[in-house]
Each structure stands twice: as C-alpha cells, then as structure tokens.
C-alpha cells in the first residue's frame, strides 16, 4: 500500500507541477480559513521567507498523506524550523463527507504538527493557475518557495529525491 501511495504522489507531482521556467510565484489567496487541532499545531508561517507548500484536493484524494508518515512531518517541524510548512487542503467531496470537519478530524488523528489552510472553493488552484495533471485538478502538488518565488518541487513521495531537493533548498 505504501509503495502505491508513493508512486501516486510521485506521478501526481510529475504530471501536475509546472517547470520552474513556467512558474514564478506561489500565492496564498486571502480570506482562507486556518485550522489546526489545538496547541499541538505549530502556527502557520505565511511570512517565512522559505516555505514548503503542499496542495491537496479533497475532491479527488483523502488526507492519507498526512497520517501515513508522521515522522516526516515531525522532523520538518523540529529539524527545519526555518522552513514554513503551509498545507492547503482544498475542495470538498460531499459524497465521501470530506469537508471542514473531516479535515480537523484527520489532523487530530494524525497528530499533524502544523496548522493548515482550508480552501473549500479551491481558490489556491485557480489563483496559481496550477497545471492539471492526470486529473482535471491534480490532487497533490508540492512546492519549495523562497520569498514566494518558486524554487523547486520537493517530491515528498520519493525520499532520495526529496532529501536532495531539501539540501539544495537549504543552501539557497
């Protein structure tokens, strides 16, 4: 199951992310709700110069990614405090009951160490003109940004490539 998820994450990022030459900035639309599950959630840092932005579309995908690798997220919080982690959970799926309550419940169950942005209308996708991948609205896309300028795609589903990209990003 884990290999399938990693493969899906990789393919989604591969087909869903624009090349650096095509993408300039990543913007967080104003007016979106910040949610967490209490004192265990690190406060969202939209003003951090360096950020890892994770976009997940609930219309297509579940929040399995956030609970599957708890050590990954805890390490990002503890080992790399200079990198703001901004997760945008977008869309809704009424058939599968994926809504605000679903987001909060999954954050609590996973003990997710960051607050997230809930974007039920999927404004992030439209604002940043994200390139559709396999699905009409790619379900997962990730970005490293420096001063809101696109730097690279972290490729969080491919550990070796992720570590390489993280090292490059930290040197910048």
């Amino acid at each position: 199951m884990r290999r399938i998820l990693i493969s899906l994450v990789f393919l989604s990022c591969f087909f869903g992310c624009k090349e650096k030459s095509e993408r300039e900035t990543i913007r967080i639309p104003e007016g979106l709700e910040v949610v967490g599950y209490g004192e265990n959630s690190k406060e969202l840092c939209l003003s951090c110069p360096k950020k890892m932005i994770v976009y997940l579309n609930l219309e297509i995908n579940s929040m399995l990614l956030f609970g599957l690798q708890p050590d990954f997220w805890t390490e990002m919080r503890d080992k790399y405090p200079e990198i703001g982690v901004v997760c945008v959970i977008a869309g809704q799926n009424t058939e599968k009951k994926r809504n605000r309550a679903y987001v909060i419940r999954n954050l609590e169950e996973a003990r997710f160490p960051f607050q997230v942005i809930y974007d039920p209308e999927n404004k992030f996708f439209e604002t940043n003109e994200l390139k559709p991948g396999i699905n009409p609205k790619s379900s997962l896309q990730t970005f490293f940004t420096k001063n809101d300028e696109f730097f690279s795609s972290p490729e969080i589903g491919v550990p070796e490539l992720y570590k390489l990209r993280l090292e490059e990003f930290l040197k910048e």
Side-chain angles (χ1 to χ4, degrees), residues 58-60 91-99 102 118:
L58 290 178
E59 294 170 18
I60 300 164
Q92 300 184 71
N93 186 322
T94 53
E95 183 180 305
K96 295 185 179 180
K97 299 180 181 170
R98 294 181 188 155
N99 53 26
Y102 169 85
Y118 180 56

Side-chain angles (χ1 to χ4, degrees), residues 10-172:
F10 176 73
L11 286 173
S12 180
C13 287
F14 179 77
F15 287 109
C17 298
K18 291 183 181 180
E19 292 298 316
K20 183 176 180 179
S21 61
E22 294 179 44
R23 179 171 310 290
E24 296 175 8
T25 60
I26 304 293
R27 296 177 312 279
I28 307 294
E30 292 189 25
L32 299 179
E33 181 183 8
V34 175
V35 297
Y37 72 96
E39 5 180 295
N40 293 329
S41 296
K42 182 178 176 183
E43 193 169 314
L44 195 63
C45 184
L46 296 176
S47 63
C48 287
K50 290 186 174 184
K51 292 188 271 296
M52 179 173 77
I53 300 175
V54 178
Y55 163 85
L56 178 77
N57 185 342
L58 290 178
E59 294 170 18
I60 300 164
N61 210 344
S62 72
M63 290 183 60
L64 182 62
L65 169 72
F66 297 98
L68 205 66
Q69 298 177 329
D71 294 340
F72 171 82
W73 300 108
T74 302
E75 181 178 294
M76 281 301 299
R77 181 194 63 203
D78 297 343
K79 194 171 178 182
Y80 306 105
E82 69 275 24
I83 299 176
V85 174
V86 179
C87 297
V88 179
I89 312 298
Q92 300 184 71
N93 186 322
T94 53
E95 183 180 305
K96 295 185 179 180
K97 299 180 181 170
R98 294 181 188 155
N99 53 26
R100 183 181 184 281
Y102 169 85
V103 170
I104 293 170
R105 185 174 61 255
N106 276 271
L107 293 175
E108 288 173 355
E109 288 173 4
R111 296 186 176 174
F112 192 68
F114 299 98
Q115 292 179 334
V116 302
I117 294 174
Y118 180 56
D119 177 13
E121 297 173 14
N122 217 346
K123 292 179 183 178
F124 181 84
F125 190 91
E126 302 301 326
T127 298
N128 291 289
E129 299 176 357
L130 298 183
K131 180 180 174 182
I134 297 169
N135 296 307
K137 291 188 176 180
S138 293
S139 61
L140 176 69
Q141 297 191 36
T142 57
F143 314 93
F144 276 138
T145 63
K146 182 177 177 191
N147 299 318
D148 297 327
E149 298 289 319
F150 176 79
F151 182 80
S152 68
S153 295
E155 306 296 351
I156 60 176
V158 184
E160 296 79 21
L161 186 53
Y162 167 74
K163 288 178 184 175
L164 178 66
R165 297 265 173 96
L166 178 61
E167 288 172 16
E168 292 170 354
F169 185 54
L170 290 170
K171 289 179 188 175
E172 186 64 29

